[in-house]
Amino acid sequence: MVTVALTAGPAHSCTRYLWNTNSRGVYVSRTMDWPESTEPKLTLFPRGMTRHGGEVGGHLVVKDNPAKWTSQHASLVTTVYSIGTVDGLNEKGLCGHALYLKATNFGERDPSKPGVQAGLWLQYLLDNAATVNEAVAILDDIQVVMVEARGRAATIHLAIEDVTGDSAVIEYVNGEKVVYHGEQYRIMTNDPPYNEQLELLSKLDFSRPSRDTPLPGNVNPRDRFQRAAYYGELLPEPKSEREAIASVLAIARNVSVPFGAPYGEFGIYNTEYRTAANLKDLRYFFELTTNPSVIWVEIEKFDLNEGAPVMVLDPNDIGLAGDVSAKFEKVTPPPF
């Protein structure tokens, strides 16, 4: 494990919900939960970005064979402490989310494989893959390397989805990669590992939900997983993007932890923000829980060509509302 003073892993109580069963499009939402601000920035990376997978905030943390690559695809992401990516999508409609999983173990370092520090694992996939199939295929080209900061290891697992509705949940447990690949894998929270979450869900019948259906109401990952499954079965066919995004955000809000809730002693923290995405139309929505408005960004309004500037927006502005694509500003040097 590499100890770094500048980064930390995603929180203990995040939730991802994918809606790929409606006839209008593919939509996804997630919550980000953490005991302090992760200093999120909405960041637009053009194609042709040169990456160094072994660096964190200018510090070399993977010294033996760090991965280096040039991005094939532009991406719009939410960063964490400006040194890694925890959420976002690329110009091809591949979308991804990093969530906390205590059981994560990336295994012993194999210097024969290029190493990518965990905070750039998702960015590596968004840079180099256009579909879930492509992302799964390149997983073994690199080795994810654990980093630790502020007393917490970056024990993360990933959920990814693409514009066709394909999905994958990727975990490293006991040093072994485990991939759950298929459009049926629509929900992800945290511990226990995914196979155990699926086993718990199989014991419940949410196929015909009603007002009398017993439903767990706590904020632990098991209960949130089951609540997301239940409410997902209640979603009506959307007539518009507005209705579709409202639906997936409603599920994200239902599994959110109230701001300031004193759950820290249990390893469960308040929801800092929620995101949603329309994968077909490349529209990304962001809702900071301390701001009154949802904002969104349209990737196609930016210059995505190699050599174009990296563009950043700080969402911690109470005056932001609606389409904020024009409010991004150039940043030099890029965060990573």
Side-chain angles (χ1 to χ4, degrees), residues 136-333:
V136 170
I138 64 174
L139 287 173
D140 288 336
D141 292 347
I142 52 99
Q143 182 182 29
V144 185
V145 179
M146 184 68 73
V147 290
E148 180 182 306
R150 303 188 185 185
R152 301 177 181 92
T155 53
I156 59 175
H157 57 168
L158 297 186
I160 55 176
E161 61 277 336
D162 65 30
V163 71
T164 71
D166 196 9
S167 172
V169 171
I170 308 161
E171 299 181 342
Y172 283 84
V173 180
N174 297 322
E176 298 294 330
K177 178 189 68 180
V178 185
V179 179
Y180 303 86
H181 185 180
E183 61 183 14
Q184 70 271 32
Y185 300 117
R186 298 186 290 130
I187 303 167
M188 188 172 85
T189 57
N190 317 107
D191 291 272
Y194 206 65
N195 63 320
E196 296 181 39
Q197 290 277 26
L198 294 175
E199 183 179 354
L200 289 169
L201 187 64
S202 70
K203 298 176 181 178
L204 304 169
D205 183 11
F206 291 150
S207 61
R208 294 182 179 180
S210 74
R211 66 181 184 179
D212 296 319
T213 302
L215 192 63
N218 213 312
V219 291
N220 65 63
R222 297 179 301 278
D223 285 13
R224 286 183 286 104
F225 195 105
Q226 293 168 26
R227 285 212 309 283
Y230 169 84
Y231 283 104
E233 293 297 328
L234 292 174
L235 295 182
E237 182 69 19
K239 298 182 180 66
S240 63
E241 177 197 54
R242 182 176 179 177
E243 290 186 4
I245 293 298
S247 291
V248 294
L249 279 177
I251 291 181
R253 291 168 182 147
N254 184 275
V255 296
S256 292
V257 181
F259 185 79
Y263 290 124
E265 62 184 290
F266 307 117
I268 296 174
Y269 306 124
N270 58 245
T271 299
E272 180 188 10
Y273 62 78
R274 290 173 283 263
T275 72
N278 174 343
L279 276 62
K280 177 182 177 182
D281 296 322
L282 299 178
R283 198 168 289 115
Y284 186 70
F285 298 79
F286 188 95
E287 180 183 47
L288 196 66
T289 55
T290 53
N291 277 4
S293 301
V294 176
I295 61 176
W296 61 85
V297 186
E298 299 190 35
I299 294 181
E300 294 180 338
K301 290 185 175 181
F302 294 86
D303 184 353
L304 307 180
N305 293 308
E306 182 175 353
V310 175
M311 306 292 287
V312 171
L313 176 71
D314 185 348
N316 189 23
D317 179 349
I318 200 169
L320 293 174
D323 183 355
V324 295
S325 305
K327 295 184 179 297
F328 278 62
E329 297 181 349
K330 300 177 183 179
V331 61
T332 304

Side-chain angles (χ1 to χ4, degrees), residues 116-147:
V116 175
Q117 61 98 345
L120 289 180
W121 181 20
L122 175 56
Q123 189 65 55
Y124 173 81
L125 298 182
L126 295 177
D127 283 350
N128 294 294
T131 64
V132 170
N133 277 333
E134 289 184 12
V136 170
I138 64 174
L139 287 173
D140 288 336
D141 292 347
I142 52 99
Q143 182 182 29
V144 185
V145 179
M146 184 68 73
V147 290

